Amino acid sequence: MSQNTDDALIKAKNLTKKYRDFTAVDSINFGISNGECFGLLGPNGAGKTTTIKMIQCVLPLTAGALMVAGMDVTKRSREIKAMIGIAPQEDNLDPDFTVVYNLVVYARYFDIPKTESLARAGQLLKFMQLEEKRDVLIGNLSSGMKRRVILMRALINQPQILILDEPTTGLDPQARHLIWDKIKRLKKQGVTIVLTTHYMEEAAHLCDRMLIMDNGKIIEEGNPETLVKKHVGEEVLEVAYDEKVMDYLKSSFPEAKLEIVNDRIQVFSSQPRGLFTEILDKFSFKGAILRNANLEDTFLKLTGRRLRE
Amino acid sequence: MNEKAYVISIFNLPKLSYRMWLVWRRNFDVFMKTYLVNFIPPLVEPLFYLVGLGYGLGGFVQPQEGLRYIAFIAPALVAVSMMYSSFFECTYASFIRMYYQKTFNAIIATPVNLEEVIAGEILWGATKSFINSSIMLVVVLIFGLITSPLFLLIPPLSFLIGILFASIAMCFTAIIPNIDSFNYPSFLYITPMFILSGTFFTITGLPQPIQIFAKIFFPLTHAVALSRALALGRINSSLLFNLGWILIAAPVFFIAAINLMKRRLIK
């Protein structure tokens, strides 16, 4: 399924991770090019975090190969880790230190001297608009600010690859947009970004290319727009559920794909625009919506609606 | 993995570099930020033992090994502070950093590896032993309970003994399911060791089997014997056994702790 993996910055071949009899990542292949923003999407338990933990050299592979910048993750973990910046899902900032001291201590693990790390911390505080919080203890920050500090910490070693594991989960829209803006700016500076998310809006907004994973396997790969067109078409018609409407749709448009979601009928068809006016004419009720098909439709279509625990 | 290979793998030599000191440094920095909280309790608690038991109980007790009771227990309390400070640093405190604060996860995302994180934690535990027992040593010195210049060897010894207790503690941290389970080693191992290691009465007064048990399984027995000998200048050949026991056990538990922690954290 992968494309031009030969000159890829990150390259996985039959990458597999098993825990006893559970297969978390099941022989996947992918390549991530230098400078792109690459998304890993999938429901909970799909294998996204497991995959990125193998890229960051903290989880041993069960089988297959994984190369980062031409280096084998099982052999040259220190060099790989030195060129990667990681913003994990969990908040693992040091609660005993202030914002700036978190950065200085973290930089020390990369052998960055204090004068240099203080200078970089100053730039990052400015970049993340957190200059006022420089000397505040981590415990006194909001969750949105903590995410920004985690992102700053991931940048302290000036990484070539930035790994973001659900960077905006639990944030309010303001904080989310700020983080998106910063990610886009980093991408412009040439940083390769690997991102996991289950917000489709986020993936569509940021990613050049993405994988959709489920049960440890890759089920689709490509550019977000292309994937939407391929699997759900351009537009979706939504109508409140009504038996008459349903019967009418079934008999008149046998080729249209219909789905009932939360008391609404979703119609995926090649010409939903024509359908839209017809339904409005025939039934004259409000609440029929014609909207652009989005990544969320694609995602749900590919991974199903079953709840994942 | 068969059973034999499993046991051998606990003693694999870890890959360590200077980076373990970066982990040590992180803990040191936290310590220095809250130094008042860190210096006062280790000073106060043994003072109660010294004053309460030494003067209070000491009035009822006949001289032990030809010493006033307070002079008998003082060097033992220095050894006890080595045990407590390093053991609790690498059980509760390390567990909090590992499990609740996810500090280890944050560090291993950098060029520092997990072996170095655990080694750094143990070295820090040993440093706590050094700091706390040195504070105690000064107190005992002020009380005039030290009679030999050999006491100057106690601080470097406290680091070695600290490595041993910190490593034993880290082995428990590696296998324990949750923080409440530390009650088992604390109450069933540390407390009997505190009482039965020649701290408050000579070990020779105990039944023979308990004496043997203490010498094999209670490192504090050896720490107390060494500390007392150095504080009072009573050097004899049996001290070689005490020192040898610690010199062998410390690296064994150090290596085992690192491998057990790897097994816990790297699946």
Side-chain angles (χ1 to χ4, degrees):
Chain A
M1 262 201 245
S2 55
Q3 52 187 48
N4 5 296
T5 53
D6 289 340
D7 57 345
L9 186 62
I10 301 172
K11 190 159 100 180
K13 196 160 182 252
N14 301 327
L15 183 64
T16 303
K17 181 68 193 178
K18 285 184 185 165
Y19 297 100
R20 296 218 171 96
D21 46 2
F22 170 69
T23 306
V25 172
D26 194 357
S27 194
I28 63 173
N29 294 289
F30 63 86
I32 301 174
S33 312
N34 199 354
E36 77 176 329
C37 180
F38 189 85
L40 283 171
L41 279 74
N44 288 337
K48 309 182 296 282
T49 300
T50 307
T51 303
I52 63 168
K53 282 196 168 164
M54 289 191 279
I55 297 173
Q56 65 175 92
C57 308
V58 295
L59 200 61
L61 324 181
T62 308
L66 183 59
M67 308 289 279
V68 177
M71 296 182 279
D72 186 337
V73 293
T74 61
K75 296 196 179 84
R76 296 169 71 182
S77 62
R78 280 207 218 269
E79 286 154 280
I80 294 172
K81 289 199 284 183
M83 60 181 284
I84 293 183
I86 291 139
Q89 247 177 73
E90 63 196 12
D91 160 25
N92 58 20
L93 294 165
D94 246 317
D96 301 296
F97 296 139
T98 61
V99 170
V100 69
Y101 212 68
N102 258 278
L103 301 177
V104 169
V105 170
Y106 209 71
R108 206 157 58 196
Y109 301 132
F110 291 91
D111 292 324
I112 301 165
K114 195 169 176 182
T115 45
E116 173 66 21
S117 61
L118 278 172
R120 288 188 194 181
Q123 290 161 9
L124 287 169
L125 285 162
K126 202 171 172 188
F127 177 68
M128 283 293 165
Q129 298 164 29
L130 272 175
E131 284 160 301
E132 295 149 42
K133 302 291 175 186
R134 185 182 185 276
D135 298 311
V136 173
L137 281 174
I138 294 300
N140 300 331
L141 298 179
S142 69
S143 55
M145 288 177 191
K146 281 186 195 164
R147 294 301 320 175
R148 281 190 269 163
V149 178
I150 286 175
L151 197 50
M152 282 199 283
R153 194 184 62 178
L155 293 168
I156 197 80
N157 59 323
Q158 299 179 335
Q160 197 184 332
I161 299 169
L162 180 63
I163 296 179
L164 306 168
D165 196 1
E166 296 185 14
T168 63
T169 299
L171 297 190
D172 63 24
Q174 285 83 355
R176 173 178 302 177
H177 280 276
L178 181 101
I179 290 200
W180 285 355
D181 177 51
K182 300 306 169 193
I183 293 172
K184 280 195 270 185
R185 279 176 60 183
L186 289 164
K187 202 193 141 214
K188 258 187 209 152
Q189 290 167 23
V191 179
T192 304
I193 294 163
V194 183
L195 172 104
T196 79
T197 184
H198 36 229
Y199 295 128
M200 296 308 120
E201 196 193 349
E202 182 162 290
H205 199 75
L206 297 172
C207 298
D208 302 314
R209 222 152 51 81
M210 52 185 232
L211 291 180
I212 298 180
M213 291 183 76
D214 200 9
N215 299 318
K217 291 196 171 76
I218 295 172
I219 51 175
E220 197 39 289
E221 175 178 352
N223 166 287
E225 282 171 37
T226 323
L227 287 186
V228 175
K229 266 184 201 152
K230 178 174 165 193
H231 290 281
V232 282
E234 305 222 353
E235 288 169 324
V236 182
L237 172 64
E238 282 195 20
V239 207
Y241 181 78
D242 184 298
E243 256 177 66
K244 278 187 282 177
V245 181
M246 196 67 185
D247 290 343
Y248 164 76
L249 287 170
K250 271 186 188 162
S251 56
S252 315
F253 301 93
E255 87 288 357
K257 284 167 275 182
L258 304 176
E259 228 179 284
I260 301 166
V261 181
N262 300 333
D263 283 339
R264 292 180 74 80
I265 306 169
Q266 292 188 343
V267 187
F268 302 96
S269 151
S270 43
Q271 300 109 2
R273 201 169 280 280
L275 211 59
F276 183 64
T277 40
E278 207 164 326
I279 287 175
L280 281 186
D281 283 351
K282 198 164 163 73
F283 296 98
S284 69
F285 63 94
K286 286 172 189 171
I289 301 169
L290 182 67
R291 61 170 174 81
N292 288 329
N294 61 35
L295 201 53
E296 188 133 340
D297 302 318
T298 318
F299 183 82
L300 288 170
K301 180 159 182 265
L302 289 169
T303 59
R305 289 187 177 273
R306 185 173 57 84
L307 271 183
R308 312 304 169 97
E309 305 299 334
Chain B
M1 208 190 297
N2 67 41
E3 217 164 280
K4 199 176 156 195
Y6 181 86
V7 173
I8 291 171
S9 74
I10 293 176
F11 298 103
N12 286 339
L13 280 184
K15 287 182 221 114
L16 298 175
S17 74
Y18 69 94
R19 291 180 181 88
M20 62 190 176
W21 291 104
L22 300 174
V23 178
W24 178 91
R25 184 68 198 279
R26 181 244 164 234
N27 291 340
F28 177 76
D29 288 350
V30 175
F31 180 83
M32 291 311 285
K33 289 212 179 295
T34 48
Y35 64 94
L36 275 183
V37 188
N38 292 316
F39 280 117
I40 306 288
L43 190 72
V44 172
E45 200 215 353
L47 262 178
F48 286 123
Y49 282 113
L50 197 64
V51 173
L53 295 180
Y55 290 119
L57 187 64
F60 297 93
V61 179
Q62 58 183 11
Q64 299 270 319
E65 295 181 348
L67 290 165
R68 278 191 303 145
Y69 190 60
I70 191 167
F72 177 79
I73 64 168
L77 289 172
V78 175
V80 165
S81 75
M82 298 176 199
M83 170 177 81
Y84 275 142
S85 51
S86 52
F87 188 85
F88 288 111
E89 183 64 33
C90 286
T91 46
Y92 289 96
S94 288
F95 194 87
I96 287 168
R97 288 191 282 272
M98 169 183 79
Y99 187 82
Y100 294 101
Q101 298 184 5
K102 313 275 181 199
T103 308
F104 297 1
N105 288 359
I107 300 174
I108 61 169
T110 73
V112 181
N113 65 28
L114 185 61
E115 282 107 320
E116 288 155 353
V117 172
I118 306 307
E121 287 279 309
I122 293 172
L123 290 172
W124 173 246
T127 307
K128 286 289 287 281
S129 162
F130 172 84
I131 295 170
N132 286 16
S133 65
S134 298
I135 292 171
M136 189 58 196
L137 195 58
V138 171
V139 173
V140 170
L141 198 64
I142 293 168
F143 273 72
L145 299 169
I146 284 174
T147 53
S148 165
L150 286 174
F151 85 90
L152 288 170
L153 291 173
I154 293 177
L157 184 72
S158 73
F159 193 81
L160 173 68
I161 290 168
I163 287 185
L164 174 58
F165 280 111
S167 300
I168 293 171
M170 197 55 93
C171 290
F172 284 116
T173 304
I175 57 175
I176 234 139
N178 54 55
I179 199 161
D180 295 322
S181 309
F182 281 131
N183 281 342
Y184 286 100
S186 303
F187 289 113
L188 300 180
Y189 185 56
I190 296 297
T191 303
M193 181 150 50
F194 170 62
I195 303 290
L196 299 174
S197 294
T199 24
F200 299 108
F201 44 82
T202 54
I203 190 170
T204 45
L206 293 167
Q208 189 76 18
I210 297 182
Q211 280 187 46
I212 294 170
F213 185 88
K215 281 180 185 164
I216 296 175
F217 295 107
F218 289 166
L220 186 61
T221 310
H222 308 294
V224 166
L226 288 164
S227 175
R228 190 171 283 142
L230 294 171
L232 305 169
R234 297 181 168 190
I235 303 302
N236 61 58
S237 60
S238 71
L239 295 175
L240 282 176
F241 169 70
N242 300 126
L243 185 63
W245 196 101
I246 291 167
L247 281 172
I248 291 167
V252 168
F253 281 103
F254 180 80
I255 291 167
I258 290 175
N259 287 303
L260 287 170
M261 275 307 248
K262 273 175 76 179
R263 196 163 295 166
R264 178 184 187 122
L265 295 173
I266 300 179
K267 294 281 159 68

